[in-house]
């Protein structure tokens, strides 16, 4: 039997309280972590896993949905600490995670630096240095859109570009659950597009939401916002409508 745990991690970033929700999938054969937070998050991940009577040293795989710093920040440290885990990512994302291509978020930050007002540049420089500090790590297995992963009751990989070109979400048909990562967020109880200024292709992000209507989804888990409580199909259609009008 497969179950999942929401690892709600509260922390302070840039003077603001934030919460992210990595996911642990678990069955008799595997413990799979999905995304892993900012750098130096191993103690927070361990604490959150322990609340569900799971230890990180039991982890067998780590799936990365995309290479933003709040999703891969602790990846290299986790691989060093638990070298037996397999790192899994979408095929387009692997070069960015492994450091053979420059982070798209870093490219975006560098491209917009010169048009910033002078008072904003010190903060932007700090952000660029932070992005440059993210350690690369080798990907053990790449996956493609539509691929079926036979772990923890079965996982369907859904390519959901927009936020980033290689972004993926994961569908768990056994529980009709969508792990949306950053394809969606929850803001004031409503589904929304994750911070449009950081979404590299907003039109593509909306098309990705449209593709989610093809799945029988009863619950959505967002990396930023946790579980959505409401009529999923109606909420997705409303979100699409809001951007199409």
């Amino acid at each position: 039997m497969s179950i999942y745990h929401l690892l709600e991690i509260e922390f302070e970033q840039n003077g603001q309280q934030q919460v992210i929700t990595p996911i642990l999938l678990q069955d008799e054969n595997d413990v799979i972590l999905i995304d892993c937070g900012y750098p130096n998050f191993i103690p927070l991940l361990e604490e959150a896993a322990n609340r569900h009577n799971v230890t990180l040293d039991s982890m067998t795989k780590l799936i990365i949905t995309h290479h933003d710093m709040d999703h891969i920040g602790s990846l290299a440290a986790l691989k060093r600490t638990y070298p037996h885990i397999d790192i899994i990512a979408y095929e387009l994302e692997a070069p960015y995670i492994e450091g053979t291509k420059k982070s798209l978020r870093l490219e975006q930050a560098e491209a917009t630096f010169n048009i910033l007002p002078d008072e904003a540049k010190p903060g932007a420089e700090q952000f660029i240095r932070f992005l440059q500090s993210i350690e690369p790590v080798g990907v053990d297995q790449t996956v493609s859109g539509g691929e079926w992963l036979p772990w923890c009751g079965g996982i369907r990989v859904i390519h959901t570009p927009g936020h980033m070109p290689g972004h993926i979400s994961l569908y768990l048909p056994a529980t009709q659950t969508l792990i949306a990562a950053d394809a969606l967020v929850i803001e004031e109880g409503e589904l929304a597009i994750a911070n449009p200024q950081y979404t590299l292709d907003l039109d593509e992000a909306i098309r990705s939401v449209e593709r989610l209507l093809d799945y029988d989804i009863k619950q959505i888990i967002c990396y930023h916002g946790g579980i959505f409580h409401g009529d999923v199909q109606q909420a997705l259609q409303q979100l699409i409508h809001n951007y199409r009008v």
Side-chain angles (χ1 to χ4, degrees), residues 2 4 25 147-158 169-179 215-219:
S2 175
Y4 62 80
L25 305 179
E147 188 168 339
W148 177 254
L149 307 176
W151 314 314
C152 293
I155 305 166
R156 181 69 67 188
V157 177
I158 308 175
S169 302
L170 303 170
Y171 179 61
L172 313 178
T175 56
Q176 297 171 295
T177 299
L178 178 76
I179 299 172
Y215 294 85
D216 187 9
I217 301 169
K218 298 301 182 188
Q219 50 196 350

Side-chain angles (χ1 to χ4, degrees), residues 76-96:
L78 281 165
K79 183 68 171 181
R80 276 195 300 274
T81 305
Y82 308 109
H84 63 277
I85 63 175
D86 286 332
I87 307 298
I88 296 154
Y90 188 66
E91 52 199 356
L92 292 179
E93 285 289 294
Y96 302 106

Side-chain angles (χ1 to χ4, degrees), residues 32-52:
I32 304 174
L33 178 63
I34 301 170
D35 293 329
C36 60
Y38 285 100
N40 305 312
F41 263 44
I42 290 181
L44 296 175
L45 289 164
E46 288 176 333
E47 181 184 352
N50 290 345
R51 290 199 294 268
H52 299 281

Side-chain angles (χ1 to χ4, degrees), residues 41 63-64 104 110 120 135 142 168 189 208 219 233 236 239:
F41 263 44
I63 300 176
I64 293 298
L104 293 176
E110 291 175 339
E135 289 185 77
T142 59
I168 57 172
S208 289
Q219 50 196 350
Q233 293 292 314
L236 292 174
L239 174 57

Side-chain angles (χ1 to χ4, degrees), residues 15-239:
Q16 294 183 326
Q17 286 298 120
Q18 296 189 34
V19 180
I20 59 171
T21 310
I23 306 295
L24 269 180
L25 305 179
Q26 182 182 20
D27 68 4
E28 59 274 12
N29 298 312
D30 283 296
V31 175
I32 304 174
L33 178 63
I34 301 170
D35 293 329
C36 60
Y38 285 100
N40 305 312
F41 263 44
I42 290 181
L44 296 175
L45 289 164
E46 288 176 333
E47 181 184 352
N50 290 345
R51 290 199 294 268
H52 299 281
N53 297 313
V54 180
T55 59
L56 286 190
D57 60 4
S58 67
M59 179 172 45
T60 56
K61 301 174 177 68
L62 203 167
I63 300 176
I64 293 298
T65 61
H66 63 294
H67 69 276
D68 262 332
M69 62 282 182
D70 56 332
H71 294 254
I72 68 165
S74 286
L75 185 59
L78 281 165
K79 183 68 171 181
R80 276 195 300 274
T81 305
Y82 308 109
H84 63 277
I85 63 175
D86 286 332
I87 307 298
I88 296 154
Y90 188 66
E91 52 199 356
L92 292 179
E93 285 289 294
Y96 302 106
I97 296 168
E98 295 181 329
T100 58
K101 286 187 176 181
K102 181 187 287 191
S103 158
L104 293 176
R105 196 64 69 205
L106 178 57
E107 284 189 356
Q108 181 188 32
E110 291 175 339
T112 58
F113 181 80
N114 287 332
I115 63 174
L116 293 173
D118 288 343
E119 64 269 18
K121 287 185 175 179
E125 288 175 336
Q126 183 179 10
F127 183 57
I128 287 170
R129 287 194 299 271
F130 178 43
L131 291 170
Q132 291 170 335
S133 74
I134 301 297
E135 289 185 77
V137 62
V139 173
D140 298 298
Q141 178 179 341
T142 59
V143 296
S144 55
E147 188 168 339
W148 177 254
L149 307 176
W151 314 314
C152 293
I155 305 166
R156 181 69 67 188
V157 177
I158 308 175
H159 183 209
T160 46
H163 187 72
M164 276 191 172
H167 186 285
I168 57 172
S169 302
L170 303 170
Y171 179 61
L172 313 178
T175 56
Q176 297 171 295
T177 299
L178 178 76
I179 299 172
D182 282 358
L184 297 160
V185 297
I186 300 171
E187 294 178 348
E188 298 180 355
E190 302 292 330
L191 291 178
I193 296 297
N195 202 335
Q197 77 179 71
Y198 289 117
T199 294
L200 297 183
D201 188 330
L202 187 57
D203 288 339
E204 192 67 68
I206 299 304
R207 285 192 288 272
S208 289
V209 175
E210 289 175 332
R211 284 193 288 273
L212 296 177
L213 293 171
D214 295 335
Y215 294 85
D216 187 9
I217 301 169
K218 298 301 182 188
Q219 50 196 350
I220 293 177
I221 304 172
C222 301
Y223 198 67
H224 303 280
I227 291 186
F228 173 73
H229 297 284
D231 185 323
V232 168
Q233 293 292 314
Q234 180 180 347
L236 292 174
Q237 290 169 348
Q238 183 63 52
L239 174 57

